[in-house]
Amino acid sequence: MRLGFASTSLDDISEQYGATKGIIYYHFRNKTNLFFAVLHRAMELTRSAIEPEALSEGSARERLARMANAHAHLMMEHLAYLRVSGLGAQLHLSGRTSEAEREQMRAITEMRDKNEQLYIQVIDEGIANKEFRTVNSRIAVKPLLGALNWTSRWYRPREGETYEDRNKLAREISDFVVHAFLPQPSRNAHEE
């Protein structure tokens, strides 16, 4: 997260982890495999945060709000994983990759797409129920996820920050996300 993929050595990782490189090599053949494990874990964490909310009871609006809130909390609570996931994949893929690395990236992309599909299903349900305005959910989900995932770029924990501080921030973010889908008042109704 601090040095970037290219600049981080296994010595840096072992020093930060407080273990020998041998222990790291026991679990991962190289830095790239460790990197893909981080990306894979980020997708698992995301799924664990949003899936229960997507499949829970309540209106589409309520579920979308809970999904976005859980996603925002995830970004703050697992900042290192999610920042590396957001920045690292693009940086790594900008270089040459092997077929094995491309296969791992395809698997991670499939996980990401399944997570995205949870949002699309809730948005589509909200459109069908007239809770949300009519949008192309496959396009609208992109800025939704951009707003949520961008948290990993700007969020920095503050000294003395409490869970309630993070909860207030997560509510602000989730309110922003949900309001993007609400029906807009008609011009005539607004003028009256």
Side-chain angles (χ1 to χ4, degrees):
M1 182 177 90
R2 287 191 301 258
L3 302 176
F5 178 81
S7 298
T8 302
S9 68
L10 279 177
D11 286 326
D12 295 324
I13 294 167
S14 64
E15 182 179 315
Q16 183 67 36
Y17 185 64
T20 66
K21 283 195 295 188
I23 289 174
I24 295 169
Y25 278 121
Y26 179 78
H27 295 285
F28 304 100
R29 286 191 349 247
N30 55 41
K31 182 174 74 168
T32 301
N33 285 9
L34 174 58
F35 172 74
F36 281 119
V38 169
L39 296 180
H40 189 271
R41 181 69 178 138
M43 292 302 109
E44 288 176 335
L45 288 168
T46 303
R47 183 75 173 204
S48 295
I50 65 173
E51 185 175 45
E53 304 303 344
L55 303 178
S56 68
E57 297 293 320
S59 68
R61 180 179 177 168
E62 292 165 343
R63 287 182 289 131
L64 182 61
R66 291 193 305 263
M67 290 172 75
N69 189 287
H71 199 136
H73 270 288
L74 172 73
M75 300 305 285
M76 291 182 276
E77 293 165 9
H78 294 281
L79 184 60
Y81 272 107
L82 282 298
R83 186 177 295 159
V84 168
S85 175
L87 296 174
Q90 290 179 341
L91 290 173
H92 184 69
L93 291 177
S94 65
R96 291 175 28 188
T97 57
S98 68
E99 180 56 36
E101 291 169 341
R102 287 190 297 276
E103 183 56 38
Q104 286 189 57
M105 210 50 227
R106 280 190 286 273
I108 291 163
T109 300
E110 185 177 311
M111 293 174 76
R112 184 206 61 205
D113 292 348
K114 287 180 180 178
N115 290 342
E116 186 175 288
Q117 187 60 38
L118 290 170
Y119 279 105
I120 290 170
Q121 289 170 350
V122 172
I123 293 166
D124 284 343
E125 185 180 319
I127 293 167
N129 293 340
K130 307 249 188 274
E131 295 174 69
F132 299 148
R133 62 190 175 88
T134 301
V135 296
N136 180 329
S137 59
R138 296 194 178 286
I139 293 172
V141 75
K142 303 300 184 186
L144 175 153
L145 289 170
L148 292 167
N149 291 332
W150 195 257
T151 304
S152 72
R153 300 289 292 270
W154 59 262
Y155 172 75
R156 301 288 181 275
R158 296 172 314 203
E159 188 175 324
E161 183 177 75
T162 65
Y163 175 81
E164 189 48 45
D165 294 330
R166 288 189 303 278
N167 198 40
K168 182 178 178 184
L169 182 55
R171 280 193 309 266
E172 288 287 331
I173 294 167
S174 64
D175 285 350
F176 175 81
V177 165
V178 170
H179 281 90
F181 292 94
L182 297 181
Q184 302 298 311
S186 69
R187 198 178 258 299
N188 292 339
H190 193 305
E191 292 172 354
E192 292 174 4

